[in-house]
């Protein structure tokens, strides 16, 4: 878990952000609204950050599990 969210919930948020990025990118291209390009890059970067955070936390969970097993 990350805070009060399960890994699946965080992954769903990340996926939803990616989907919304695609929609906004299409609008940007269609209407030539270049001012939103930086915003979209930031949202996309945050989506990737969430994915990396999940992986790091899963690795930490596995390491802690192994340590707990060794202590018993």
């Amino acid at each position: 878990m990350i805070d009060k969210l399960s890994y699946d919930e965080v992954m769903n948020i990340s996926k939803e952000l990616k989907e919304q990025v695609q929609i906004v990118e299409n609008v940007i291209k269609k209407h030539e609204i270049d001012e939103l390009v930086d915003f979209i890059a930031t949202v996309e970067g945050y989506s990737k950050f969430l994915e990396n955070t999940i992986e790091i936390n899963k690795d930490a969970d596995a390491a802690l599990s192994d340590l707990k097993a060794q202590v018993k």
Side-chain angles (χ1 to χ4, degrees):
M1 288 189 70
I2 299 174
D3 196 23
K4 296 179 183 179
L5 299 173
S6 71
Y7 293 135
D8 288 337
E9 290 171 318
V10 175
M11 186 58 76
N12 287 336
I13 292 168
S14 176
K15 288 178 182 177
E16 181 68 26
L17 286 172
K18 284 183 179 181
E19 290 171 9
Q20 297 305 316
V21 163
Q22 291 299 316
I23 292 168
V24 175
E25 281 180 338
N26 290 334
V27 171
I28 288 171
K29 289 176 186 174
K30 182 178 179 180
H31 297 285
E32 299 178 7
I33 309 172
D34 295 331
E35 293 85 8
L36 293 177
V37 171
D38 288 341
F39 173 73
I40 291 303
T42 301
V43 173
E44 197 168 25
Y46 185 67
S47 173
K48 187 63 177 169
F49 167 78
L50 290 175
E51 291 174 4
N52 291 337
T53 300
I54 291 168
E55 292 304 313
I56 290 169
N57 278 275
K58 282 183 176 180
D59 290 345
D61 288 347
L64 287 172
S65 179
D66 290 345
L67 287 173
K68 286 180 185 177
Q70 291 176 2
V71 171
K72 291 183 179 182

